[in-house]
Amino acid sequence: KRLPQAIIIGVKKGGTRALLEFLRVHPDVRAVGAEPHFFDRNYERGLAWYRDLMPKTLEGQITMEKTPSYFVTKEAPARISSMSKGTKLIVVVRDPVTRAISDYTQTLSKKPDIPTFESLTFKNRTTGLIDTSWSAIQIGIYAKHLENWLLYFPIGQILFVSGERLISDPAGELGRVQDFLGLKRIITDKHFYFNKTKGFPCLKKAEGSSKPHCLGKTKGRTHPDIDQEVVQRLRDFYRPFNMKFYQMTGHDFGWD
């Protein structure tokens, strides 16, 4: 068992589960199924505890884990860096407005009596002041969170995966990820088929199985209808942060 050489650090509702499931098809990738939450919630348990969660690997295989809340955790960059400065980091990002709605949809499925999306979005509806303390909004200010990581890791050690392209062109995005991890490009178009009912790509064969595999019922939930004016307000709010993020990463994700 080895400490992970690569970690999917974010973002929540960005497509991290899909990326991990797709990557596990690769014979040289071994990953923990559940999110360890070591660098945010379980750090005091120590590295030996963390290592023990990891799967056994052979020489030349990469150990991975994913915990999307790391990206927004203040202490995570320093902690990961002190484990290993060479850790490769992967961030799956998607349009922050749809990400926020998806985040809300997930919470709604667990707590049906929460306030409306609209009322949670604004500190004050009349002035249109956005409530940035609400985590669903907060997570999508990617540029702000990224600054924290760049204090500890060079930008070249972080790969930004487009959550949108993970759906529209999974093999293309997986090609970039395999290159970044220094893996042979084994996962290609032939591993995927598009499931029209879910609106998601699925794997023809999952890791260790001969059956096709789609992500679980909780993925690809139908979003509630959100007032278009609210959506527009959020687009305007995120635009400057998105622009900054595009500059920082050298990649235009086309969210505007």
Side-chain angles (χ1 to χ4, degrees):
K1 293 184 177 188
R2 296 182 179 86
L3 289 165
Q5 296 98 314
I7 303 177
I8 300 171
I9 56 170
V11 302
K12 182 184 176 196
K13 306 312 295 173
T16 59
R17 171 58 59 197
L19 178 60
L20 190 73
E21 295 297 314
F22 295 167
L23 269 176
R24 289 170 83 166
V25 171
H26 200 293
D28 292 335
V29 170
R30 302 284 290 124
V32 192
E35 296 174 6
H37 282 282
F38 176 62
F39 296 103
D40 56 354
R41 297 180 201 160
N42 293 305
Y43 195 62
E44 70 296 336
R45 295 184 177 211
L47 281 170
W49 175 86
Y50 183 49
R51 182 195 297 256
D52 201 50
L53 296 177
M54 298 300 144
K56 292 183 171 148
T57 49
L58 301 165
E59 200 53 57
Q61 288 184 316
I62 288 182
T63 304
M64 288 187 74
E65 70 118 317
K66 79 120 178 154
T67 305
S69 48
Y70 291 164
F71 189 62
V72 299
T73 301
K74 268 277 183 283
E75 303 77 16
R79 289 170 173 178
I80 294 176
S81 166
S82 79
M83 170 184 77
S84 162
K85 284 187 164 36
T87 312
K88 291 183 175 180
L89 306 171
I90 299 175
V91 190
V92 188
V93 285
R94 76 192 270 206
D95 181 324
V97 180
T98 26
R99 198 220 65 81
I101 296 168
S102 176
D103 199 329
Y104 174 79
T105 308
Q106 181 177 27
T107 312
L108 189 63
S109 71
K110 297 173 187 165
K111 306 180 190 155
D113 51 352
I114 56 166
T116 64
F117 182 85
E118 288 81 354
S119 64
L120 290 166
T121 297
F122 297 106
K123 264 206 175 84
N124 180 329
R125 184 74 202 253
T126 331
T127 60
L129 191 65
I130 306 277
D131 187 355
T132 52
S133 70
W134 182 29
S135 72
I137 303 280
Q138 175 69 37
I139 291 170
I141 309 174
Y142 304 140
K144 188 168 148 275
H145 304 299
L146 180 56
E147 281 174 345
N148 196 21
W149 288 88
L150 295 180
L151 301 173
Y152 295 89
F153 292 93
I155 192 94
Q157 217 166 300
I158 310 174
L159 181 72
F160 300 91
V161 173
S162 158
E164 285 84 12
R165 283 203 47 207
L166 204 51
I167 294 170
S168 64
D169 178 20
E173 251 351 49
L174 263 288
R176 293 179 59 235
V177 178
Q178 291 170 96
D179 292 351
F180 174 72
L181 295 173
L183 295 167
K184 266 219 218 62
R185 280 200 178 205
I186 287 175
I187 308 167
T188 59
D189 304 357
K190 64 175 189 298
H191 286 90
F192 300 99
Y193 71 94
F194 197 78
N195 178 317
K196 289 199 175 60
T197 26
K198 270 188 115 41
F200 269 103
C202 300
L203 287 165
K204 286 185 183 159
K205 286 204 287 274
E207 179 204 22
S209 141
S210 55
K211 292 200 295 283
H213 173 66
C214 283
L215 295 174
K217 287 191 284 294
T218 63
K219 305 299 175 189
R221 290 189 188 97
T222 311
H223 290 176
D225 278 330
I226 307 293
D227 181 341
Q228 273 317 296
E229 184 217 345
V230 175
V231 172
Q232 197 47 56
R233 283 276 172 87
L234 275 176
R235 295 223 165 277
D236 298 340
F237 165 77
Y238 278 121
R239 192 167 297 108
F241 297 112
N242 289 347
M243 291 306 158
K244 186 168 185 204
F245 185 65
Y246 297 170
Q247 283 170 340
M248 292 169 85
T249 59
H251 189 97
D252 180 339
F253 289 88
W255 295 325
D256 298 288

